[in-house]
Amino acid sequence: MTQIHTQRALIDGQDLLRVEIKAPQEGVQARRLDLALVIDRSGSMSGLRLRAAREAAEGILKTLAGQEVRLGLVAFNDGVLRSEGWAGPAEARFFLDALVAQGSTDLFRGWQVGQQMLTPQKGRLRAVLLLTDGRANRGLTQPEAIAAEVLQAAQRGVYTSTVGIGLGYNEALLSNMAEVGGGTHLFLPDEAAPELTQALLEELAFLRGTVLDGVELKLLGARATPLLGVWEGGQGYLGPMAPGEVRTLLLQLEPLSDVATLEAEVQLPGGREKYRLTLPEPAPTGSDYRQVAFERAVAQLRLLYARLSDLEGPGQAQVLLEAVQPIRAALQGHSDARTPQLLAQLEQLEARLKRLATSFEFHEARWFSKAFFTEADSLNSSSRKPRNSRTGR
């Protein structure tokens, strides 16, 4: 059974609600999966990048053949190509060998065609894996509008994970697509492109091992502003979760009545669970207060990661460096299972910012920003690990 727990505290004038969701502990047999692999084939993908994408698609087919995984292929530039139905090895090779890197990047249309391939099938999980090295510059390009479409697809049971290759892509867009899409975001610098196949297989292994498909949340008697987690249009959403995984949301509340409640609907492979919880009064002190304060520090770290994409000089690096110590102070000594990992991330962040504050180098700043955006997936989860460790930097 899914466990849902709420904690509330008034901190610095903010009425904060922490929502914790723990997935059922029992594992399941590997899930049947329908996957749309969406590949950028714009001009900048020529050479190593497109070759790595081809090899990744072939590696997925070879490794997962006979394991109840069906693969559809989509390639996009300013136009979109797609495979006819599910691709076997011969069809995939024909499709992939015909790809030529040229043109612009209609990223949204490529993703859209991929998710449209994934029609509902009883007992099958559906996911889009988007691979790109660029920025959306054709068709729908507004990040907020793209994220809204991805969120709607996730709520229909089509999940999105993203992979950014090289240093030219929009990390804020791809990270947000993965967050609202219930998936993960991965950064691979060019030197790590040959590792793309293994990275995608790890993501598919996570999806096939999930025991919970998604959670929809709704508040009655209060409005909420999200500080950590996905909350849009008055509703919250979490994507697939592994056995025993714990995820959290942090919301700033605006009470509308004396009593507020949280409604949750959990989608499991075998059906749905519904919960209704009355929100507690704000804790002035004690363990609930400390846990909410800890989650606020996690949210501040997430915001700090988001600001890395704006780094353009040593002065900005120094400003961000000064924000590290208050976050560290709020995390240190806490019993939360994420504390050692978060403190280790802060130590790496501080070292990079110190270097950039004294000797700013634009290429390193871009790498730094993208690497730390991949850490965001692990901030409010007990089991997801930082995904940029394979780059060795």
Side-chain angles (χ1 to χ4, degrees):
M1 178 176 289
T2 308
Q3 299 177 32
I4 302 177
H5 182 57
T6 58
Q7 295 164 301
R8 187 176 174 188
L10 194 65
I11 302 177
D12 295 336
Q14 293 183 319
D15 188 350
L16 301 180
L17 176 69
R18 177 183 184 269
V19 181
E20 177 183 290
I21 299 177
K22 183 176 181 180
Q25 190 68 49
E26 301 79 14
V28 296
Q29 188 175 7
R31 310 278 300 276
R32 294 186 293 169
L33 175 68
D34 288 345
L35 173 70
L37 184 61
V38 180
I39 301 170
D40 184 349
R41 63 180 183 111
S42 61
S44 58
M45 283 286 289
S46 62
L48 176 64
R49 296 175 181 177
L50 189 56
R51 184 166 67 249
R54 287 194 188 104
E55 292 173 354
E58 293 170 357
I60 290 172
L61 280 167
K62 180 180 179 180
T63 304
L64 299 179
Q67 296 188 35
E68 292 289 352
V69 176
R70 302 191 299 200
L71 178 66
L73 295 171
V74 176
F76 68 93
N77 47 19
D78 38 319
V80 180
L81 301 174
R82 54 161 289 180
S83 60
E84 292 296 330
W86 307 116
E91 295 89 348
R93 179 167 290 279
F94 180 81
F95 181 92
L96 296 166
D97 286 347
L99 297 183
V100 177
Q102 60 186 9
S104 302
T105 309
D106 193 344
L107 183 150
F108 171 74
R109 182 60 181 154
W111 170 85
Q112 185 181 49
V113 170
Q115 65 94 16
Q116 288 172 346
M117 294 179 72
L118 304 173
T119 57
Q121 299 286 329
K122 185 176 181 180
R124 300 193 72 90
L125 199 64
R126 296 175 289 161
V128 177
L129 271 174
L130 173 69
L131 284 64
T132 182
D133 72 338
R135 297 170 179 265
N137 56 27
R138 286 292 181 92
L140 184 63
T141 60
Q142 294 86 356
E144 296 82 4
I146 293 174
E149 294 286 341
V150 174
L151 175 58
Q152 290 178 23
Q155 291 171 331
R156 295 192 302 269
V158 180
Y159 308 109
T160 297
S161 291
T162 59
V163 180
I165 305 173
L167 297 177
Y169 72 90
N170 185 338
E171 61 266 35
L173 171 62
L174 292 193
S175 177
N176 195 32
M177 288 178 69
E179 182 179 22
V180 302
T184 55
H185 169 60
L186 176 66
F187 159 53
L188 283 180
D190 284 324
E191 63 268 25
E195 301 178 35
L196 179 58
T197 301
Q198 183 58 35
L200 296 188
L201 288 173
E202 289 177 8
E203 178 63 14
L204 297 183
F206 168 79
L207 285 170
R208 298 190 69 209
T210 54
V211 295
L212 182 156
D213 289 350
V215 182
E216 294 185 4
L217 302 165
K218 185 178 181 180
L219 275 173
L220 303 176
R223 280 195 286 262
T225 301
L227 302 182
L228 189 66
V230 178
W231 192 277
E232 295 287 344
Q235 293 186 318
Y237 174 76
L238 292 89
M241 296 173 64
E245 181 178 0
V246 177
R247 295 225 206 133
T248 56
L249 293 90
L250 185 67
L251 307 172
Q252 182 176 342
L253 295 182
E254 179 187 345
L256 301 176
S257 65
D258 292 338
V259 178
T261 58
L262 178 71
E263 292 184 345
E265 185 167 327
V266 181
Q267 178 64 55
L268 301 169
R272 291 179 178 267
E273 297 174 348
K274 294 186 178 182
Y275 299 85
R276 185 181 178 97
L277 294 83
T278 300
L279 299 192
E281 291 295 319
T285 58
S287 60
D288 281 3
Y289 181 96
R290 290 192 296 274
Q291 188 65 59
V292 174
F294 176 90
E295 212 67 50
R296 188 178 72 152
V298 175
Q300 291 169 338
L301 179 57
R302 177 67 178 85
L303 181 61
L304 189 57
Y305 284 171
R307 293 171 63 188
L308 295 176
S309 61
D310 298 325
L311 276 177
E312 294 183 355
Q316 290 174 311
Q318 182 61 43
V319 170
L320 297 186
L321 182 60
E322 292 169 0
V324 170
Q325 182 53 39
I327 297 174
R328 178 189 287 113
L331 297 177
Q332 281 179 329
H334 202 280
S335 60
D336 191 284
R338 293 168 290 168
T339 300
Q341 176 183 312
L342 292 170
L343 289 175
Q345 290 180 28
L346 265 180
E347 185 177 351
Q348 295 175 16
L349 178 64
E350 185 176 42
R352 291 281 182 177
L353 286 171
K354 283 181 177 178
R355 191 158 76 181
L356 290 171
T358 56
S359 179
F360 189 85
E361 201 279 315
F362 187 79
H363 183 275
E364 181 180 3
R366 295 283 72 77
W367 183 95
F368 176 45
S369 170
K370 287 170 169 56
F372 274 88
F373 256 94
T374 67
E375 308 277 8
D377 285 328
S378 65
L379 293 181
N380 66 334
S381 169
S382 64
S383 64
R384 293 200 177 192
K385 305 301 181 185
R387 300 297 298 275
N388 68 318
S389 58
R390 63 172 54 83
T391 66
R393 296 190 57 175

